[in-house]
Amino acid sequence: MSKIDIIATSTFGLESVVAEEVKKLGYEGAKVENGKVTFTADKLAICRANLWLRTADRVRLKVGEFKALTFDELFEKTKVLPWAEWIPVNGEFPVEGKSVKSTLFSVSDCQAIVKKAVVESLKQSYHKSWFDENGPLYKIEVALHKDIATLTIDTTGPGLHKRGYRRLISGAPLKETMAAAMIQLARWRPDFPLHDPFCGSGTIPIEAAMIGRNIAPGMNREFVCEDWPAISRTLWQDARRETHDLADYDRPLEISGTDIDGEMIHIAKENAEEAMLEDAVTFKRLPVHALSSKASHGSIICNPPYGERLGEKKEVEQLYKTMGQVFAGLDGWSYYILTSFPEFEQFFGRKADKNRKLYNGNIKSYFYQYHGPRPRTRNK
């Protein structure tokens, strides 16, 4: 079993970003589909993908894929898959599922069939009639789409956005994976300034600092598959050693965040300390209308209020007008703004050079991109 199929799941709209990350890890031939990127690699890739992918939701091991129009088909084709190559005799293997545009539309029935088939497969491999399931966790998913069943096992555990540094969060926090995607889509260069004028709990500046210093986002957390006998501890040791070898902890960065809410600034500072990046980012309380910079180039990347709540529309319209006026005064800067507000460009006062549809949670949003002139050298 030298090569295996791995699926990196993602938020809709970020598949190409995840695919680019997979390629940077050295894995070619990634297949991009809605909500996922599939690639073929070795067991070490499971460790490295979990540690390094900044914009994926989780990493899944693909056990098999086939067409299933009946429950008998689903059972028999699931049963012959190599479950014992991954799940030990004491493994815990709950089954979850989903079905879209498929003949087998009852998710609960599909889950029950797959569970039964895996049990029968393991019975044949281990010559046992009962499994206690008191060992490592192997969360199986049966996903049916247009009658094609994909059987996977989650290798991640808590989602990849759980970096471990954000102990304190604001009421509607931006996921770390989305923040990292915004930074990568902005093509920010670590040798130029980056500022977030609506930093909240500090997610965008902290993610930028991690990118700037090449710190693996999963370096300081654990993953469910670390307990799997099929993935040796040596592979994990090698993968984690790589994260330390490649990190540039001393690289100087000009990353900052401001917010009108002083309590959020306090939380952002605590989160930066938790991430051990307090020397890489600065936070201070400042309303957006007071924003200014002496730097001739840089990037503003932000996730301002959307005005989703009743009665906030007029306030948000005025906020976007102010943003347009203030950002226009930052000659040479580029700015990248994520919002679901439908008339954003109208109130901001300028049409974006480019926009991209993204889903921030379940909210359809647009990432408005305004490109400044390309700087030739770093401005001090």
Side-chain angles (χ1 to χ4, degrees), residues 52-89:
W52 283 102
L53 292 182
R54 300 180 189 278
T55 60
D57 290 337
R58 59 183 59 250
V59 177
R60 309 190 73 93
L61 163 69
K62 189 165 99 171
V63 184
E65 188 171 82
F66 50 81
K67 189 171 185 177
L69 296 174
T70 68
F71 287 130
D72 283 342
E73 270 190 300
L74 180 62
F75 178 84
E76 295 298 337
K77 291 180 179 179
T78 298
K79 182 181 173 182
V80 299
L81 294 176
W83 297 104
E85 291 183 4
W86 294 99
I87 304 176
V89 68

Side-chain angles (χ1 to χ4, degrees), residues 47-278:
C47 310
R48 296 183 70 231
N50 273 301
L51 288 166
W52 283 102
L53 292 182
R54 300 180 189 278
T55 60
D57 290 337
R58 59 183 59 250
V59 177
R60 309 190 73 93
L61 163 69
K62 189 165 99 171
V63 184
E65 188 171 82
F66 50 81
K67 189 171 185 177
L69 296 174
T70 68
F71 287 130
D72 283 342
E73 270 190 300
L74 180 62
F75 178 84
E76 295 298 337
K77 291 180 179 179
T78 298
K79 182 181 173 182
V80 299
L81 294 176
W83 297 104
E85 291 183 4
W86 294 99
I87 304 176
V89 68
N90 67 336
E92 179 187 358
F93 49 100
V95 179
E96 55 188 27
K98 57 186 178 183
S99 179
V100 178
K101 298 179 181 178
S102 295
T103 305
L104 302 179
F105 60 85
S106 172
V107 173
S108 59
D109 287 336
C110 291
Q111 290 174 207
I113 292 293
V114 167
K115 178 73 176 185
K116 183 178 178 182
V118 175
V119 168
E120 290 303 313
S121 176
L122 295 178
K123 280 182 180 180
Q124 292 178 2
S125 297
Y126 294 120
H127 308 292
K128 289 192 64 172
S129 60
W130 178 261
F131 298 95
D132 292 326
E133 297 193 47
N134 56 5
L137 178 63
Y138 299 79
K139 188 176 289 185
I140 298 169
E141 181 187 73
V142 50
L144 289 125
H145 181 247
K146 295 182 179 178
D147 296 324
I148 301 298
T150 304
L151 280 296
T152 61
I153 305 175
D154 174 40
T155 74
T156 301
L160 288 176
H161 70 283
K162 298 283 189 179
R163 315 288 207 220
Y165 66 78
R166 197 160 68 173
R167 305 297 185 187
L168 300 168
I169 59 175
S170 55
L174 183 74
K175 276 190 175 182
E176 294 88 334
T177 45
M178 179 60 75
M182 292 166 64
I183 296 161
Q184 295 191 47
L185 286 169
R187 304 295 179 186
W188 171 68
R189 290 165 50 180
D191 52 342
F192 285 91
L194 181 149
H195 181 72
D196 178 3
F198 304 96
C199 69
S201 56
T203 307
I204 292 175
I206 293 171
E207 287 295 316
M210 293 177 73
I211 291 171
R213 290 186 170 175
N214 201 35
I215 296 172
M219 178 187 287
N220 296 313
R221 59 160 286 180
E222 296 179 347
F223 302 93
V224 69
C225 66
E226 291 186 64
D227 293 328
W228 294 6
I231 302 178
S232 72
R233 293 193 178 277
T234 301
L235 289 181
W236 273 108
Q237 289 168 358
D238 291 344
R240 288 194 179 278
R241 187 180 300 113
E242 180 188 39
T243 67
H244 290 283
D245 290 345
L246 295 180
D248 186 358
Y249 297 111
D250 298 321
R251 180 170 189 167
L253 299 168
E254 293 182 42
I255 299 173
S256 57
T258 53
D259 200 284
I260 196 171
D261 188 334
E263 180 60 27
M264 284 296 100
I265 293 300
H266 176 73
I267 291 172
K269 289 179 178 180
E270 289 198 8
N271 288 338
E273 290 175 6
E274 190 67 37
M276 294 181 287
L277 289 166
E278 63 270 25

